Amino acid sequence: MIQKHRRKQAAIVAGVGLGVAATLWGMKRWQALKQTPPVSPRSHHAGLAGYFQQVGDWRMFTRVTPNDDQGLPVVLIHGLVMSGRAMEPLALALARDYHVLVPDLPGFGASALPASAPIMSVDQQADVLWLWLQHNGFQRAIWIGNSSGCQILAALAVKHPQAVAGLVLQGPTVDRHARSLPRQLWRSWRNS
């Protein structure tokens, strides 16, 4: 009985220790990420530039390729818990043939949310993209979205169809009829 109690205490102490270590590691990584420039050094060296701009209430960061082709721009929209930095390799791959813009959505990456709107709906984010597009001097674009960025672009296409010359949805979010973890695991296993 005493041995069992000691093992239980040791397991609790080990669990708490791992939790504290993981928290400290996460805080250190978060601080390092906050110090990282919005455009990766490798992408910057390859010609990707970035700039901040005030779009209505939102201070947004945008990456842009050096191709100033006068055709329709291609705009890449990242998914949830990401930033446009995740789209840099695709932007560089498309840069030879297209003028590519990669904004950080409000509240992600280097873009900020105003204190008056700490949470934004999908429709609100679509409206911000519409304002952002006009602010950058374009009326239409070819849009490529990843993950939850697909939802935002679908809302943009419904609310502002004049802004959408083309739409590519890469890895749209979860089927609304299969949002539970067991169903997603089953589908993932079945697809694999």
Side-chain angles (χ1 to χ4, degrees):
M1 184 73 164
I2 293 174
Q3 286 285 59
K4 188 175 182 181
H5 182 67
R6 285 185 181 161
R7 279 194 299 241
K8 188 175 179 180
Q9 283 181 326
I12 290 171
V13 168
V16 169
L18 283 173
V20 168
T23 301
L24 292 173
W25 178 82
M27 289 169 55
K28 186 175 180 180
R29 288 289 302 143
W30 178 252
Q31 290 301 321
L33 282 172
K34 285 173 55 177
Q35 302 301 320
T36 304
V39 176
S40 73
R42 186 172 146 235
S43 296
H44 182 71
H45 183 69
L48 201 62
Y51 55 89
F52 286 96
Q53 58 190 166
Q54 191 69 32
V55 179
D57 291 337
W58 300 274
R59 182 172 186 258
M60 293 181 68
F61 183 80
T62 301
R63 292 156 191 82
V64 62
T65 60
N67 185 339
D68 287 333
D69 185 342
Q70 297 303 311
L72 287 172
V74 174
V75 180
L76 310 179
I77 302 299
H78 61 83
L80 190 64
V81 194
M82 302 174 92
S83 72
R85 192 168 185 166
M87 304 295 268
E88 287 179 8
L90 179 57
L92 291 170
L94 294 171
R96 193 181 86 225
D97 299 317
Y98 299 97
H99 180 61
V100 183
L101 298 127
V102 188
D104 283 346
L105 293 169
F108 296 92
S111 293
L113 280 171
S116 62
I119 298 174
M120 295 181 67
S121 70
V122 168
D123 286 341
Q124 289 170 322
Q125 290 180 19
D127 289 337
V128 170
L129 280 179
W130 170 236
L131 291 172
W132 170 87
L133 184 68
Q134 293 175 328
H135 189 86
N136 281 282
F138 299 105
Q139 294 300 312
R140 297 169 53 95
I142 300 166
W143 300 85
I144 300 175
N146 175 262
S147 188
S148 64
C150 297
Q151 284 182 281
I152 296 165
L153 291 182
L156 178 73
V158 169
K159 294 185 79 173
H160 307 284
Q162 69 277 19
V164 180
L167 193 57
V168 177
L169 305 178
Q170 173 193 353
T173 51
V174 179
D175 175 359
R176 67 183 176 95
H177 299 292
R179 288 189 176 148
S180 72
L181 182 60
R183 285 184 179 164
Q184 286 304 301
L185 290 173
W186 164 249
R187 286 180 174 198
S188 178
W189 178 81
R190 188 180 66 193
N191 290 341
S192 297

